[in-house]
Amino acid sequence: MKKLALLGAGDLGDQIMEYVKETGMYEIVGFFDDNEALGNMHRGLPIFGKINTVENYYKQGDFDYVFITIGYRWFDTRERIYKELKGKVPFANIISPLAVVKKGAKLGEGIMISDQVYVSHTANIEDDVCITLRSVVNHGCVVKKHTFFSTNVVLAGNVTIGEKCFVGVGSVLSDGITVCDNVWLSPGSIVIKNITEPGKYVSNVWLFFNLKIFGWQGLLAPCP
């Protein structure tokens, strides 16, 4: 079995560790984390050191792959680490046996595709992307680098999601929509026109259920 080191010993790292152990995809041998001391133990596994030492450990043969487990609130950090290690250390793909990834789909590296996800045969998922439970990436869709989907996200055909985007739980994007880089979509967002400006967008549906009704001028309103 191939050996895997996780880059980040926070909450997402713990979740990924348990998921990988349950599915038996890799043997996890330890963590790298800039906020933990060398030699500490985390969840029964060693902290090898800071992330800038990853390449040295890889060359020693301590592991075969790495996976970035730093959460979506730190997209810039994820991007920096990925760029620093690209071409030097292999990134693992963690793809659930319960996902449906059609033959012909184009997959990058360092991606996670969780349980009951559907990826069409003409979809393109770029590097360092996480797609969580029961999401749909339909025909002709492109999900660019360092983007994170929450649960039950649905992309209709020919949707493009930019880099370093967060797509909240239950969001639906209509056919042919393009979302630029650095966009944050709240839970329940319904996107029916292109998003061309970076920022946080809050669905009026989400606001309604939180007793904050600001009018129905559009399905999406940018956060202040």
Side-chain angles (χ1 to χ4, degrees), residues 133-144:
L133 293 164
R134 295 185 296 277
S135 292
V136 175
V137 183
N138 236 313
H139 63 89
C141 290
V142 178
V143 183
K144 295 188 177 181

Side-chain angles (χ1 to χ4, degrees), residues 88-145:
K88 300 174 183 177
V89 179
F91 288 87
N93 282 345
I94 299 173
I95 300 176
S96 170
L98 300 179
V100 176
V101 180
K102 304 297 281 187
K103 185 177 180 180
K106 186 176 180 181
L107 304 181
E109 62 174 355
I111 65 176
M112 178 176 180
I113 298 176
S114 191
D115 296 345
Q116 300 177 39
V117 170
Y118 173 84
V119 179
S120 171
H121 68 290
T122 55
N124 179 3
I125 299 174
E126 296 186 354
D127 303 333
D128 186 36
V129 167
C130 289
I131 299 180
T132 63
L133 293 164
R134 295 185 296 277
S135 292
V136 175
V137 183
N138 236 313
H139 63 89
C141 290
V142 178
V143 183
K144 295 188 177 181
K145 295 182 180 69

Side-chain angles (χ1 to χ4, degrees), residues 17-25:
M17 182 185 73
E18 293 302 324
Y19 185 77
V20 171
K21 286 168 60 178
E22 288 174 3
T23 57
M25 299 175 189

Side-chain angles (χ1 to χ4, degrees), residues 167-223:
V167 185
V169 60
S171 294
V172 177
L173 287 87
S174 185
D175 189 79
I177 290 295
T178 296
V179 176
C180 69
D181 298 345
N182 298 295
V183 165
W184 183 290
L185 295 177
S186 76
S189 294
I190 301 173
V191 185
I192 60 173
K193 63 180 182 179
N194 294 340
I195 297 178
T196 59
E197 295 292 332
K200 292 187 176 182
Y201 290 79
V202 176
S203 167
N204 281 337
V205 175
W206 184 86
L207 293 170
F208 176 81
F209 284 109
N210 283 272
L211 302 179
K212 298 177 181 178
I213 304 174
F214 292 111
W216 296 94
Q217 291 82 3
L219 286 172
L220 285 174
C223 287

